[in-house]
Amino acid sequence: SLSRRIAALAPAVFVASLSSATAGDEVPAPLGPTLAPAPSGLDAEFHVGYSSDYIFRGADLGGDLYEFGLDFAGSGDVRGLGAFDWSAGIWYASIDSNGRANSSTNELDIYGEVSKSLNEIFSVAAGITNYSYFGTGAAGGTNDDIEPYVSIGAEVAGISLGAAAYFDGANNYRH
């Protein structure tokens, strides 16, 4: 089955601090909060897939799901707050809405997240996802939605546990 990751965009408040400085150049410290990309660079992933069922948060949203997406991730430091990780991506899916004739749906999600490790065990994250639906089935009449969230996670002895709170302002999901 399709494992759909929710990730999110790094807030625009944290502007990437890029420079053309070379080794030995002295670069003045930027003013205000900035997100400086780690020297390791940007991680990117392109994925394509098929799933016979589209199950999201326990609800059957259709079948014959064809999907592709592009995800990015990185890390940096915010002055006064320390190290942060971020991720962002876009996901497109074409779905047969439960086998009904002329009921195909297309979904386009744009998402981003900023996360921080609090210590060796706990981490927190905040993100947002924009869900857009179009096509004849439009996910059973579901309108577009913007869904912010916060989460906390813990990892002990290789076991990860977490909890998240999502806010669905449109309250238009069937689940």
Side-chain angles (χ1 to χ4, degrees), residues 23-108:
D25 288 347
E26 188 170 320
V27 178
L31 300 174
T34 59
L35 179 64
S40 62
L42 180 69
D43 292 327
E45 173 186 282
F46 176 76
H47 49 93
V48 175
Y50 168 82
S51 180
S52 59
D53 297 301
Y54 180 19
I55 308 295
F56 179 64
R57 296 185 186 153
D60 182 357
L61 298 182
D64 290 331
L65 179 138
Y66 297 90
E67 63 92 13
F68 67 88
L70 184 59
D71 297 317
F72 298 96
S75 61
D77 291 308
V78 176
R79 187 179 300 161
L81 296 176
F84 278 82
D85 295 320
W86 64 269
S87 59
I90 187 166
W91 183 75
Y92 170 82
S94 177
I95 309 136
D96 176 16
S97 297
N98 294 315
R100 294 184 301 267
N102 299 321
S103 65
S104 65
T105 298
N106 298 292
E107 180 178 341
L108 179 67

Side-chain angles (χ1 to χ4, degrees), residues 100-150:
R100 294 184 301 267
N102 299 321
S103 65
S104 65
T105 298
N106 298 292
E107 180 178 341
L108 179 67
D109 300 349
I110 301 171
Y111 44 89
E113 178 182 278
V114 176
S115 61
K116 178 167 181 54
S117 291
L118 300 176
N119 54 37
E120 295 293 317
I121 297 174
F122 292 101
S123 62
V124 295
I128 191 164
T129 302
N130 179 72
Y131 300 94
S132 296
Y133 304 96
F134 48 96
T136 57
T142 302
N143 297 320
D144 295 354
D145 197 12
I146 295 177
E147 183 181 75
Y149 67 92
V150 294

Side-chain angles (χ1 to χ4, degrees), residues 150-172:
V150 294
S151 67
I152 186 165
E155 184 172 339
V156 178
I159 298 173
S160 297
L161 300 172
Y166 294 86
F167 177 73
D168 176 14
N171 196 28
N172 58 15

